[in-house]
Amino acid sequence: MTTIKPTPVSSATHDKATRAPLAQGAVRLSQPLLETIEEEIVTRQLAPGARLDETELAQRFAVSRTPIREALIQLASAGLVELRPRRGAIVAQVSPQQLMEMFDVMAELEAHCGRLAARRSTAEEQRELLAAHEACTESSNGLDPDRYFYLNERFHQILYRLSHNAFLEEQVRHLQRRLRPYRRLQLRVRQRVGHSFEEHRAIVDAIMAGNEVLAAEHLRTHIQIQGERFSDLMASL
Amino acid sequence: MTTIKPTPVSSATHDKATRAPLAQGAVRLSQPLLETIEEEIVTRQLAPGARLDETELAQRFAVSRTPIREALIQLASAGLVELRPRRGAIVAQVSPQQLMEMFDVMAELEAHCGRLAARRSTAEEQRELLAAHEACTESSNGLDPDRYFYLNERFHQILYRLSHNAFLEEQVRHLQRRLRPYRRLQLRVRQRVGHSFEEHRAIVDAIMAGNEVLAAEHLRTHIQIQGERFSDLMASL
DNA sequence: GTCAAACTTCTTGTATACAGGATTTGACGA
DNA sequence: TCGTCAAATCCTGTATACAAGAAGTTTGAC
């Protein structure tokens, strides 16, 4: 009851002169915002603890606060920003402890991807994985860690797909994204790129051999090492 | 069947009435909304595929569309709601295929909880787990599945905590919540409650014995069975 | 000189207004 | 009767307005 009247009056109750023209085109304004902000958090352009002022972001992206808020809420759901009631949003601060925990879960999920991939992947899919692995070759000498990082990420994403479990793939990709800045950092550790490449080789072999146990074990170790290396890195600072 | 068990309040919130300016006590208006809607989705009061009209919800909760939208965005991030651009929100439809995939991931995560619990839990924590298990005794005869469901959920939640991995705990609790309606359904399968209880016994034993491998294996099976029973249930309809 | 209370300013949370895509309705023709 | 197209309506996405909490600043007392 007491229906809120939308007042569909067609007569001019507003002066259109002051109305800014809506920039239509994209279905959703908050989508590109979300991606841009996420990218900046992930690449550390926005450092952990940095305040995310809604008005400021709105001006920067030339939109109103509404889509900004929606993007921030989504980022908070993803764990990338922390929303403090009435006190604004900040880039989430992840403690080393939390990070270790996340790598631990990641190791389990990737191991399971490997197990399923060994069980279910087709010959063609395996060739795809092998190709992704071989694409890493030229950048595995440690001269171009950024390029290796990118190719490495692709390799893992293909692996996820080979699990033939879309939900698992989604979850693990999400976590991969959240851990991205730390993984990237960790790749700069001496010799890590070379070892990583070798580990991939063993993983591919196990999957192509259909050896579930070995595939899972190699992957678990592969990810756990990243967590450990990262913690070494932290300790050395 | 399908009796909604406890239904904790969840409907005494929209008493604001009167065109009050703003007087709010709660820090955030969207928080209780979120929880209420989530509860209704989980308990199937809002069936999969049901449209979630923003204006309608706004009227029902006596708030504006803004907090409703924010709640919907969060629900979409959690996977409970599907947001179709320009076409409104609907309760997410989960296919049997997806469900199987989710149970599969759940099995892995719980297995890992069990492994970590066996490795890290203290004697006192183990007593807590045992107590939670024994609390299930009286309702394990199958006469009161709803009560067993509740106690069973508590048992698992304690287990998650014993992993001493807060991130894992959070992730697995989240998934537990998402799978809740299906787990509940599945408990009505003949004999399932009794078997579930026995499986818990084996899990507790393995954890108290510090047997990581066995704890993980029992848990994996325990959850996988649920997925399989559910798929049997689907097939029989 | 330091601390605290009051005031000011800033920023968030919610409500409302409005534009344009999506859906429905209705008329017309095959 | 059914299908198609156009107009009307509904509803979402975004902008803007406004109230109240939080932070910052000034002033007053001890």
Side-chain angles (χ1 to χ4, degrees), chain A residues 13-14 19 22 51-54 65 69 85-86 88:
Chain A
T13 56
H14 61 285
R19 273 212 97 58
L22 285 185
R51 289 204 69 236
L52 296 165
D53 188 286
E54 294 178 3
R65 279 175 49 221
R69 295 201 102 230
R86 283 266 172 213

Side-chain angles (χ1 to χ4, degrees), chain B residues 27-204:
Chain B
V27 199
R28 246 203 206 134
L29 220 42
S30 66
Q31 204 55 37
L33 299 184
L34 177 72
E35 284 163 21
T36 305
I37 299 174
E38 179 173 302
E39 187 65 25
E40 293 187 4
I41 292 174
V42 155
T43 61
R44 294 285 180 123
Q45 286 172 264
L46 286 168
R51 288 206 70 237
L52 296 166
D53 188 287
E54 293 178 4
T55 312
E56 195 180 303
L57 288 169
Q59 286 184 3
R60 187 180 140 203
F61 290 103
V63 297
S64 78
R65 279 175 50 222
T66 310
I68 296 286
R69 295 201 104 230
E70 303 196 342
L72 289 179
I73 288 170
Q74 291 179 70
L75 288 167
S77 294
L80 283 163
V81 158
E82 189 184 333
L83 246 44
R84 303 165 307 170
R86 283 264 172 214
R87 302 182 55 216
I90 58 173
V91 178
Q93 316 219 38
V94 184
S95 72
Q97 164 76 14
Q98 271 179 284
L99 214 49
M100 294 292 294
E101 294 180 356
M102 288 165 76
F103 270 112
D104 186 61
V105 173
M106 186 69 171
E108 282 310 306
L109 292 179
E110 291 227 21
H112 193 48
C113 285
R115 176 170 25 240
L116 294 179
R119 190 185 308 167
R120 301 173 175 171
S121 58
T122 66
E124 185 179 335
E125 287 173 337
Q126 290 174 4
R127 277 195 292 277
E128 210 181 334
L129 187 68
L130 185 60
H133 169 61
E134 286 170 348
C136 297
T137 311
E138 79 243 38
S139 57
S140 67
N141 52 16
L143 297 180
D144 190 351
D146 279 333
R147 175 147 182 79
Y148 184 77
F149 180 77
Y150 172 74
L151 293 169
N152 172 61
E153 200 161 61
R154 271 209 51 77
F155 173 81
H156 281 272
Q157 283 172 6
I158 288 171
L159 172 74
Y160 307 157
R161 183 151 46 78
L162 264 52
S163 74
H164 288 254
N165 180 327
F167 181 75
L168 175 60
E169 184 185 348
E170 182 198 315
Q171 295 290 110
V172 73
R173 279 188 78 133
H174 186 213
L175 196 46
Q176 185 194 42
R177 175 137 213 182
R178 243 184 111 172
L179 288 172
R180 186 190 269 176
Y182 310 103
R183 285 185 295 112
R184 172 176 275 165
L185 213 59
Q186 166 270 315
L187 266 190
R188 297 181 189 281
V189 171
R190 209 177 146 61
Q191 296 265 314
R192 182 66 199 119
V193 167
H195 287 154
S196 167
F197 183 70
E198 285 165 29
E199 287 157 22
H200 282 196
R201 176 79 242 177
I203 291 163
V204 174

